[in-house]
Amino acid sequence: MSFKSFWFNYGEIVPGYDIPVINEREARAAAGILAMLGTIVIFIGIGFNHIIVAKVYLAFLWLDFVARVFNPRYSPSLLLGKFIVRNQKPDYVGAIQKRFAWVLGWMISFPMVYWFVLNWDITFYKVLICVLCISLMFLESAFAICLGCVLYKFITREDAKHCPGGTCEVRIKEPIQMFNPLQKIIAILTVLGLVTGIYLFLAKTESKTFFGQFLQEAVLTKAQLKKAKEEAYQREMDKEFGDDDF
């Protein structure tokens, strides 16, 4: 393999495709692996307060995106994904839009490396960047939704080819993809129930960790936060002096 081939030939040349491609099954498997590891890291960080785990993961994430941007053949997570889906038929997508999406992921990883690896300084909004990154990987893994690929088409004004799930091609939805009225009602009620339940949990449940406090600050107004603190203080006073007759 020549130096030029290593650095400048991006993607794979596959018969029947007029542009270099990437195996989307490998990419989705890799995204699922990284999303799973990121979720585990968050739980370990919250439950055990071990920041070294987060530092190692984020450093690995940055290096993995470096490999993806320059030559995806040597990305650790893509190699793991390749092994996992080795017996599945490849699903080829255009390499150029995937590279654009991975460049965006690489750029997102830079501030995370600085904040949490080189200079540990955790805040709610910085953690949200990590959650955003994990969410994007989850969307790619679970639903084959590549937001970076969508942005590529919007920014370049070029029609991308061979998008995940065939979204680049104009087509008519098949009957199994359509919603009848009852299905629409069930789907809408499910979303409303999830959103309402999450909000009520964050708003009404007493926070016992710094991360929970961050989440409450994000969903409550200043007046609600003040009231919650007063109620928590009153509960502490009742617990401490509730049985006293003085």
Side-chain angles (χ1 to χ4, degrees):
M1 178 186 296
S2 66
F3 177 83
K4 182 178 179 180
S5 174
F6 181 87
W7 288 105
F8 297 104
N9 290 348
Y10 195 84
E12 304 290 340
I13 303 299
V14 176
Y17 291 84
D18 55 350
I19 59 172
V21 293
I22 296 289
N23 185 359
E24 176 68 4
R25 295 192 190 279
E26 294 178 8
R28 291 181 64 181
I33 292 170
L34 292 176
M36 179 187 68
L37 290 176
T39 304
I40 292 172
V41 164
I42 289 178
F43 277 108
I44 291 177
I46 294 173
F48 297 91
N49 197 28
H50 287 313
I51 64 175
I52 186 62
V53 180
K55 288 186 174 185
V56 171
Y57 170 76
L58 291 173
F60 172 80
L61 184 69
W62 184 82
L63 290 172
D64 189 72
F65 273 113
V66 169
R68 290 183 184 216
V69 169
F70 288 99
N71 196 319
R73 297 186 187 95
Y74 303 100
S75 159
S77 66
L78 286 174
L79 289 174
L80 291 177
K82 181 176 183 176
F83 175 79
I84 292 172
V85 301
R86 65 191 184 280
N87 294 324
Q88 298 180 15
K89 182 180 179 180
D91 178 18
Y92 295 116
V93 298
I96 187 170
Q97 62 260 33
K98 295 297 290 188
R99 189 181 206 181
F100 179 83
W102 291 337
V103 167
L104 293 181
W106 186 33
M107 293 172 63
I108 292 174
S109 70
F110 268 98
M112 293 193 296
V113 168
Y114 176 75
W115 289 330
F116 304 128
V117 178
L118 302 178
N119 180 33
W120 184 263
D121 182 22
I122 186 170
T123 66
F124 172 73
Y125 295 103
K126 292 175 182 178
V127 172
L128 277 185
I129 301 296
C130 296
V131 174
L132 170 65
C133 192
I134 292 174
S135 299
L136 292 176
M137 291 186 291
F138 173 76
L139 286 175
E140 181 178 6
S141 175
F143 307 117
I145 296 176
C146 177
L147 292 183
C149 302
V150 176
L151 284 175
Y152 169 82
K153 182 177 180 179
F154 177 78
I155 293 174
T156 63
R157 302 297 181 180
E158 296 180 1
D159 290 332
K161 297 181 179 180
H162 310 300
C163 297
T167 54
C168 295
E169 294 76 23
V170 177
R171 59 187 178 83
I172 300 174
K173 287 184 173 63
E174 297 181 14
I176 196 172
Q177 296 176 289
M178 305 296 287
F179 285 82
N180 64 41
L182 181 57
Q183 289 176 323
K184 290 180 181 179
I185 293 173
I186 293 174
I188 292 172
L189 290 177
T190 300
V191 172
L192 290 176
L194 288 172
V195 173
T196 303
I198 292 172
Y199 174 79
L200 290 176
F201 175 78
L202 294 177
K204 303 298 183 180
T205 305
E206 181 181 0
S207 172
K208 298 183 179 180
T209 67
F210 71 92
F211 189 69
Q213 293 173 355
F214 287 152
L215 292 175
Q216 281 193 333
E217 290 175 2
V219 301
L220 298 181
T221 64
K222 291 183 178 180
Q224 290 174 318
L225 286 171
K226 182 179 179 181
K227 182 179 179 181
K229 290 180 180 179
E230 291 175 350
E231 291 176 350
Y233 176 78
Q234 187 60 46
R235 286 194 296 269
E236 289 295 325
M237 292 298 99
D238 293 342
K239 186 187 298 183
E240 187 73 22
F241 303 109
D243 296 333
D244 293 344
D245 297 329
F246 299 101

